[in-house]
Amino acid sequence: MIPSRRALLTGAGASLIAAPLTAQDRNALPLSLNGAWRQGGYAFGRTAPRALIFVDGEALTTASAAGLFVIGFDRDAAASVQIEARAGNRSARRTLDIAPYAFPSTTVNGLPPSTVEPSDPALLARIQREIAVKTEGFASRIDADDFKDGFIWPLESYRVSSAWGAQRILNGTPARPHYGIDLAAPQGSVIRAPADGRIAFVRPGMHFEGGLTLIDHGQGLITCYLHQSQLDVQQGQRVRRGDPLGRVGMTGRATGPHLCWRMKWRDRNLDPSLMVGGRAPETLA
């Protein structure tokens, strides 16, 4: 079952007026935005090439050579966010209203205790080592705008078995929110790259994630593919939309075959399904 496609919220464009340009007009950068402006969502932008992009006053990314950029809103994003583009002495600023979202609660029972509340010193040391190598993968920052054409679903046939952002109760114990969308599918189903990018990390046998792959789509936008039974790519490899990444499995912390699909923009967790069908602005406002 494929969920209904979410509507995209489009940023307002500047109106053209037949009047002399003021000094402020001459210093204004063009800036177009669209996306899903809600908690867990995102904004795609187009502005001057290589403009510096500020989010709530903090410089966080740089537009590509084509002027494209992406911004993410995490699960607990505030009610509004200010996005500013600067290039030389020119700038443009927009304030976006971020819609709240009522995240569900999910209960998962039957997990091995070591995957819920690990206590063995050797296992804890292993988990810390895995955190360190994953952190290196998430730190990947390729100079690209491979997100510009949006995303497709990474599986052809699936059932959403756990929604993104759900508060999880594991073996009766409240846990951190689930920052992935679980797509149940038959064991061995082919997982495909939903957008172009470069493999930033790939490793089998992770304690929690099992077979894990990370793809860098540019500017710190990373997608993650967990619990794979087979990995068909190598670190550093360039992939195109639709290329096979691996196979659905139930490795790591899993009770059945599924793909946990995740997305991060820098340190913010996003709902990857919201980018399905989206595209960066094609024109400047």
Side-chain angles (χ1 to χ4, degrees):
M1 177 188 74
I2 299 179
S4 61
R5 181 173 167 180
R6 294 164 172 83
L8 296 177
L9 304 176
T10 305
S15 298
L16 296 178
I17 55 175
L21 292 176
T22 66
Q24 182 177 359
D25 293 330
R26 288 192 295 270
N27 286 333
L29 279 181
L31 176 61
S32 295
L33 297 168
N34 64 27
W37 301 345
R38 50 151 274 195
Q39 291 177 325
Y42 70 97
F44 285 148
R46 182 183 287 271
T47 186
R50 300 302 185 189
L52 192 58
I53 308 301
F54 291 76
V55 181
D56 291 331
E58 182 181 4
L60 289 184
T61 191
T62 301
S64 70
L68 297 172
F69 65 91
V70 61
I71 299 294
F73 313 124
D74 63 25
R75 184 180 184 274
D76 301 315
S80 67
V81 63
Q82 186 181 88
I83 297 176
E84 182 179 5
R86 298 182 193 173
N89 64 347
R90 304 174 69 205
S91 66
R93 185 179 302 168
R94 301 284 189 276
T95 299
L96 306 181
D97 293 328
I98 307 303
Y101 192 79
F103 296 102
S105 178
T106 300
T107 298
V108 182
N109 293 314
L111 294 167
S114 64
T115 65
V116 179
E117 296 181 288
S119 58
D120 179 72
L123 177 56
L124 292 173
R126 172 190 169 185
I127 291 170
Q128 289 304 309
R129 291 193 299 270
E130 292 182 352
I131 288 173
V133 295
K134 285 187 294 184
T135 299
E136 291 182 8
F138 282 117
S140 179
R141 298 286 186 271
I142 64 171
D143 181 13
D145 50 22
D146 292 325
F147 50 81
K148 64 182 180 297
D149 293 325
F151 288 69
I152 61 172
W153 292 95
L155 296 174
E156 292 184 1
S157 180
Y158 59 88
R159 173 180 59 85
V160 175
S161 56
S162 182
W164 187 91
Q167 176 62 54
R168 305 201 92 179
I169 301 174
L170 305 179
N171 291 359
T173 301
R176 69 198 297 261
H178 183 224
Y179 291 118
I181 179 170
D182 285 348
L183 308 178
Q187 178 89 9
S189 298
V190 177
I191 302 166
R192 299 189 181 277
D196 295 358
R198 187 177 71 187
I199 304 299
F201 180 87
V202 59
R203 180 171 295 191
M206 302 287 282
H207 178 66
F208 291 116
E209 299 89 353
L212 174 65
T213 301
L214 307 182
I215 304 178
D216 185 344
H217 302 283
Q219 300 180 22
L221 187 69
I222 309 286
T223 51
C224 321
Y225 308 83
L226 286 68
H227 310 306
Q228 296 176 79
S229 60
Q230 177 179 314
L231 303 169
D232 294 330
V233 291
Q234 297 181 342
Q235 189 160 333
Q237 178 181 336
R238 178 79 178 166
V239 293
R240 305 287 292 182
R241 178 190 295 209
D243 285 351
L245 301 176
R247 302 275 179 163
V248 168
M250 52 181 293
T251 57
R253 187 167 71 186
T255 57
H258 74 283
L259 171 66
C260 178
W261 186 25
R262 301 188 177 197
M263 176 180 284
K264 293 189 78 168
W265 180 70
R266 300 178 181 268
D267 294 327
R268 305 180 184 196
N269 293 287
L270 315 182
D271 181 348
S273 70
L274 295 178
M275 287 198 185
V276 172
R279 292 178 63 91
E282 297 183 0
T283 59
L284 283 168

